Amino acid sequence: MGYLGVLLITANIGSLSDTSGSIQQNWLQELYKTVQSHAPSFIALHLQEVGGKRYWENMSEAENFIGELTKSKELSSYDRSKAFIDQDFTQLGSFTALGSVYLIHNSLHDIHIYNFQDDQFDAVSGHTMCLGSLENCPNLYKEKFPQDFWTDFPWTRKGFMRTRWRIHSRIFDLVNLHLFHDASNLVSCSCSPSVYSGNRRRALQYILDRLNEKPEVPYFLFGDFNFRLDLKSLIQALGLTQRIRNETETETIVYEKDGELRLLLQCKRFEHENVNILQENSGQWLLRFDSEPIPFLNGLSEVQITFPPSYPYSESVDRPAEFMSTRCPAWCDRVFMSHPARMFLQKGNIGESCVVYDRIGSDVCMGDHKPVFLYFETEIENPVE
């Protein structure tokens, strides 16, 4: 019996795609450090918002960025890769701006990717990148969420893509997803749970219904879930009182405590007078307001979170650990797994193997999202040669 090191990474690169130079290089170097630290045999990198907000201008540059990553000298021992980049933004009915990149170490020989068209597993060789709408890509299942999920918005890029792998005797699905965001702080705080939470719940259930169709296999879901804290409950717990509501030019809610201004809310502004309170003990006290995963925990599992929220961070290279005053900090970027997949993390009769669940680039500007990773070692029948 041998052990296989697996590294699952999710990264929303929207703001990264809209910049160039030092931030992109810092991002890559932090990624390489994480790979070097854990030395996995298999890497799965799930990207969201490839191309950024100006995807029609940046998509070719994003393609170059991913090509640089897969063929870098730092990852030269990964002699095979499969990349799937949904880049055809002219296909409004199917465009998701998702990218999934998989790298295989030269010591790993028994690995195959599923062919959804031919209902068989294909061998993996060389470096291949599948571009375009991906509708005819046999090794990938991709779907954009139905438009009626978001009746208040004319168009979104939200959706998911799925691959299936066989490594030795292990068969599992890897799902890259991007769920709907909170469009307005004012709407988010108006009820508990928020209407946006309901949208995300419906979308995630839509994915799970697809995954639970026969034949069922263990699966890992990692992407930008956009899970947000229950903002109304958080404000109540802070003992804040709403004093002023300005509905003139810019709608604003001001919250006070003991006669002093503590929190200012606008559509895209979340400004607390003491930002340090949001970072106490790595923000762990905020986890009690992280309630969106709860309805799914009968079928999904997550390693305990011990790291600070993954969003929203300053995009200034001089303030890499500071939150932007746009949204309430939250754990948007996550790695979940089905209960059968959680068994992959078990090591014989001694419980969990080496498992690390953390952010990448805690002290380096990585854009407004910090990438999140899960590293684990799983038993395989035949050891890696």
Side-chain angles (χ1 to χ4, degrees), residues 28-303:
L28 288 171
Q29 290 305 313
E30 291 300 306
L31 177 71
Y32 299 150
K33 287 179 185 178
T34 302
V35 173
Q36 182 180 22
S37 174
H38 299 286
S41 297
F42 180 74
I43 303 172
L45 173 62
H46 285 177
L47 306 172
Q48 303 84 41
E49 290 197 39
V50 175
K53 293 181 176 62
R54 299 189 303 275
Y55 48 84
W56 58 91
E57 297 177 358
N58 299 337
M59 197 57 77
S60 60
E61 180 58 33
E63 177 185 337
N64 294 334
F65 174 75
I66 293 169
E68 177 184 351
L69 185 154
T70 58
K71 298 179 182 178
S72 64
K73 65 178 182 179
E74 289 86 352
L75 299 179
S76 59
S77 59
Y78 295 84
D79 61 349
R80 287 149 292 164
S81 67
K82 297 281 287 186
F84 305 93
I85 313 300
D86 186 8
Q87 65 169 186
D88 190 354
F89 51 83
T90 65
Q91 301 296 318
L92 297 182
S94 61
F95 177 57
T96 64
L98 293 172
S100 297
V101 183
Y102 305 98
L103 300 112
I104 299 110
H105 195 267
N106 56 28
S107 62
L108 178 57
H109 301 293
D110 190 359
I111 180 169
H112 295 75
I113 187 170
Y114 188 66
N115 186 314
F116 289 93
Q117 294 179 5
D118 297 337
D119 190 22
Q120 65 180 29
F121 281 95
D122 297 335
V124 181
S125 62
H127 296 278
T128 60
M129 185 179 295
C130 301
L131 306 169
S133 66
L134 305 180
E135 300 304 314
N136 297 315
C137 182
N139 298 128
L140 181 82
Y141 177 87
K142 187 199 78 171
E143 195 171 343
K144 181 180 174 180
F145 294 122
Q147 185 60 45
D148 59 9
F149 276 17
W150 336 110
T151 55
D152 295 335
F153 298 88
W155 181 75
T156 74
R157 290 171 285 168
K158 306 303 190 288
F160 67 98
M161 58 171 58
R162 168 192 192 183
T163 57
R164 178 170 296 171
W165 298 83
R166 187 182 73 202
I167 301 180
H168 292 260
S169 60
R170 297 285 198 188
I171 297 178
F172 53 91
D173 281 358
L174 301 178
V175 181
N176 183 0
L177 65 127
H178 193 185
L179 304 186
F180 197 60
H181 63 284
D182 278 24
S184 169
N185 292 322
L186 303 178
V187 175
S188 298
C189 71
S190 63
C191 59
S192 173
S194 76
V195 294
Y196 303 123
S197 174
N199 286 341
R200 287 187 286 270
R201 181 173 181 174
R202 187 162 61 253
L204 181 52
Q205 188 60 57
Y206 183 88
I207 296 175
L208 296 178
D209 289 343
R210 293 291 186 274
L211 293 174
N212 292 328
E213 294 172 354
K214 303 296 183 182
E216 293 183 30
V217 300
Y219 55 82
F220 295 86
L221 300 95
F222 47 115
D224 183 359
F225 287 77
N226 258 318
F227 285 162
R228 307 301 174 96
L229 304 186
D230 187 328
L231 191 52
K232 183 173 183 178
S233 296
L234 172 61
I235 290 171
Q236 291 174 342
L238 290 171
L240 304 182
T241 303
Q242 181 178 332
R243 293 298 187 192
I244 304 171
R245 189 177 183 104
N246 175 16
E247 299 185 6
T248 56
E249 184 175 350
T250 302
E251 187 175 6
T252 303
I253 301 177
V254 174
Y255 291 93
E256 297 180 354
K257 185 175 182 180
D258 300 327
E260 297 183 0
L261 171 65
R262 297 299 175 91
L263 176 66
L264 185 149
L265 283 187
Q266 292 176 347
C267 177
K268 296 184 178 180
R269 187 178 178 188
F270 179 93
E271 191 170 324
H272 197 281
E273 55 88 22
N274 180 14
V275 70
N276 292 328
I277 195 174
L278 302 175
Q279 298 176 312
E280 289 179 0
N281 191 26
S282 296
Q284 290 296 290
W285 72 278
L286 296 173
L287 277 171
R288 59 181 160 137
F289 305 103
D290 178 53
S291 55
E292 290 197 40
I294 293 175
F296 299 98
L297 294 184
N298 61 334
L300 295 179
S301 178
E302 183 181 26
V303 175

